[in-house]
Amino acid sequence: MKSLVILGGGYGGIRMLQRLLPNELPDDVSITLIDRVPYHCLKTEFYALAAGTISDQHVRVPFPDHPRLKIKYAEITSVNLEEQEVHLKDGETVKYDELVIGLGCEDKYHNVPGAKEFTYSIQTIAKSRATYQTLNNLPAGSSVAIVGAGLSGVELASELSESRSDLKIKLFDRGNHILSSFSERLSTYIENWFDTHHVEIINNANITRVEEGILYNHDEPVSVDAIVWTAGIQANKIVRDLPGEKDKMGRAVISPRHHLPDYENVFILGDCASLPHAPSAQLAEGQAEQIVQVLTMRWKGQEPPESFPPIKLKGILGSLGKKQGFGLLAERPITGRVARLLKSGILWMYKHHNG
Ligand SMILES: Cc1cc2nc3c(=O)[nH]c(=O)nc-3n(C[C@H](O)[C@H](O)[C@H](O)COP(=O)(O)OP(=O)(O)OC[C@H]3O[C@@H](n4cnc5c(N)ncnc54)[C@H](O)[C@@H]3O)c2cc1C
């Protein structure tokens, strides 16, 4: 039997299983999925888990149950490409013939002293739970700083302001306009929403240091009761530690067939892979489809295409609490209730297909 090992049951890993398990798996190939948590996590909803507006169960989907799939729940500590081994924290070693690494991303702290130690995170389900506990246990009128006004910072700030309207929320933004990569109209719409909901936006921020309950903006101390970091991501450490070229986000540079240039049997998936797009769940899923093609063609003894067409992305949708939203669909900006309904609908469909 040949062994295909998939590290990470996130959006990319799950899409691979969905495509391979029904009928694409030859009789002489077995699949092992390794993940630290015993369910597929809907990471795109972690902001709502942290804000306390949805329950833990809402962001979990069971892994598929299939006779050809073995699932191991374990913390992966490293990969040895030469020996074709995955090392687990409990000391076990898992051998592979083909490997897919889809371990997602981690916070990037940009060498800001104290940021890692004194801020909360929404990058894993365990960290989002810890953030939820802290934010929701704060006494009335407490202040919360959210550092980074990208999509996840904006979604967290808006959701939290609806969840705890008594909190004083400060959203620190590096630019002079929130989500400045979007159109002026979208940025203004989001800023107006925050204005109406009493979320303070601090533009042109530069966080230089963090201490317990203190944030230094341009070296000026700002006292707050809790700080959440949403100011950047990098590839999972397992991938950053692999030999070979990485991009600025620590994502592994890959071949057009999505494998490491020197290891044709090691594919890098989703947030771990250096692709010409910002990391997203859609991107991880699109890439998974192409990796499945490479694998299935090879298993049939065929030569996979030298390269693939660019992965088509449908757009971006963000929420502003439970009733309003914003986004870009086919390059066109949308705002308001329709955007929010679309986002909820997509989540519902995803859970329906995977649950
Ligand atoms: C708040 C927020 C909102 C977002 N909104 C959107 C959105 O609207 N649309 C969109 O497309 N994208 C969105 N994203 C980005 C999206 O969540 C990621 O791009 C996507 O999850 C990447 O998928 P992946 O398969 O690469 O990794 P992930 O989905 O992160 O999966 C990684 C898996 O690896 C496991 N893992 C990691 N390390 C280890 C280890 N050492 N040992 C064992 N298991 C491990 C994890 O448990 C997890 O199951 C959002 C992200 C956040 C944080």
Side-chain angles (χ1 to χ4, degrees):
M1 280 296 261
K2 267 190 276 176
S3 167
L4 166 66
V5 174
I6 300 178
L7 306 185
Y11 291 89
I14 284 292
R15 177 57 62 91
M16 290 208 52
L17 293 177
Q18 282 170 339
R19 295 294 179 261
L20 286 172
L21 286 177
N23 40 32
E24 294 290 353
L25 203 58
D27 290 342
D28 63 342
V29 179
S30 72
I31 305 184
T32 302
L33 170 72
I34 311 179
D35 203 298
R36 56 160 76 107
V37 287
Y39 31 74
H40 165 48
C41 291
L42 304 182
K43 187 171 185 180
T44 60
E45 307 309 302
F46 284 179
Y47 71 92
L49 179 64
T53 55
I54 56 171
S55 79
D56 203 279
Q57 206 190 11
H58 271 90
V59 299
R60 302 185 230 139
V61 170
F63 284 134
D65 185 15
H66 194 279
R68 311 282 301 281
L69 172 68
K70 191 170 152 201
I71 307 186
K72 255 186 182 310
Y73 302 120
E75 182 73 26
I76 300 151
T77 49
S78 63
V79 173
N80 184 327
L81 298 172
E82 297 308 326
E83 301 296 328
Q84 302 194 185
E85 287 174 353
V86 177
H87 297 279
L88 308 181
K89 198 174 175 186
D90 60 10
E92 200 186 329
T93 294
V94 178
K95 287 284 226 181
Y96 62 83
D97 296 299
E98 278 149 332
L99 182 70
V100 178
I101 309 182
L103 291 169
C105 65
E106 301 172 356
D107 289 298
K108 185 167 184 179
Y109 296 103
H110 310 286
N111 297 322
V112 174
K116 185 171 182 204
E117 294 76 12
F118 300 114
T119 67
Y120 289 89
S121 162
I122 54 169
Q123 283 302 327
T124 68
I125 192 163
K127 288 178 180 172
S128 303
R129 286 173 184 142
T131 306
Y132 156 75
Q133 283 213 330
T134 297
L135 295 180
N136 288 279
N137 280 329
L138 287 171
S142 301
S143 55
V144 175
I146 296 171
V147 182
L151 182 64
S152 51
V154 164
E155 290 192 314
L156 176 64
S158 54
E159 197 81 5
L160 186 61
S161 80
E162 277 191 357
S163 172
R164 291 278 314 260
S165 56
D166 62 294
L167 295 177
K168 295 185 200 87
I169 302 170
K170 294 169 189 283
L171 181 57
F172 289 83
D173 181 20
R174 212 181 161 83
N176 52 15
H177 227 4
I178 215 158
L179 286 172
S180 49
S181 60
F182 284 10
S183 67
E184 173 101 15
R185 189 186 131 205
L186 273 186
S187 299
T188 308
Y189 173 80
I190 298 163
E191 283 169 354
N192 287 344
W193 191 97
F194 281 130
D195 205 29
T196 329
H197 291 78
H198 311 294
V199 172
E200 187 188 351
I201 300 172
I202 295 105
N203 290 118
N204 300 310
N206 180 20
I207 304 306
T208 47
R209 187 152 54 104
V210 184
E211 291 171 5
E212 178 87 60
I214 308 176
L215 201 62
Y216 290 81
N217 183 20
H218 295 280
D219 295 328
E220 286 295 315
V222 182
S223 291
V224 284
D225 297 295
I227 307 165
V228 188
W229 192 266
T230 53
I233 53 169
Q234 58 186 341
N236 189 297
K237 185 168 185 315
I238 310 280
V239 167
R240 300 201 315 274
D241 287 350
L242 289 177
E245 198 185 342
K246 314 284 159 24
D247 67 12
K248 275 190 291 192
M249 292 167 72
R251 305 183 298 177
V253 171
I254 51 173
S255 74
R257 288 174 174 168
H258 305 292
H259 55 70
L260 288 175
D262 295 335
Y263 300 86
E264 283 204 340
N265 61 336
V266 179
F267 297 85
I268 309 291
L269 174 60
D271 289 0
C272 294
S274 184
L275 292 165
H277 299 282
S280 74
Q282 287 177 63
L283 185 63
E285 290 173 345
Q287 199 199 359
E289 303 273 357
Q290 298 187 349
I291 295 177
V292 165
Q293 270 195 58
V294 176
L295 284 171
T296 50
M297 288 186 78
R298 279 195 195 157
W299 289 335
K300 288 179 190 154
Q302 299 166 355
E303 186 66 14
E306 288 295 330
S307 62
F308 288 90
I311 296 167
K312 284 206 181 96
L313 301 175
K314 292 187 190 84
I316 302 171
L317 282 171
S319 64
L320 291 171
K322 288 283 181 259
K323 294 195 185 117
Q324 303 290 314
F326 59 91
L328 274 180
L329 284 186
E331 313 274 311
R332 294 176 57 176
I334 57 166
T335 53
R337 225 182 160 89
V338 174
R340 188 63 179 94
L341 282 170
L342 273 173
K343 190 172 163 91
S344 305
I346 289 168
L347 176 65
W348 185 88
M349 295 262 289
Y350 187 85
K351 284 169 116 173
H352 184 69
H353 285 300
N354 291 281

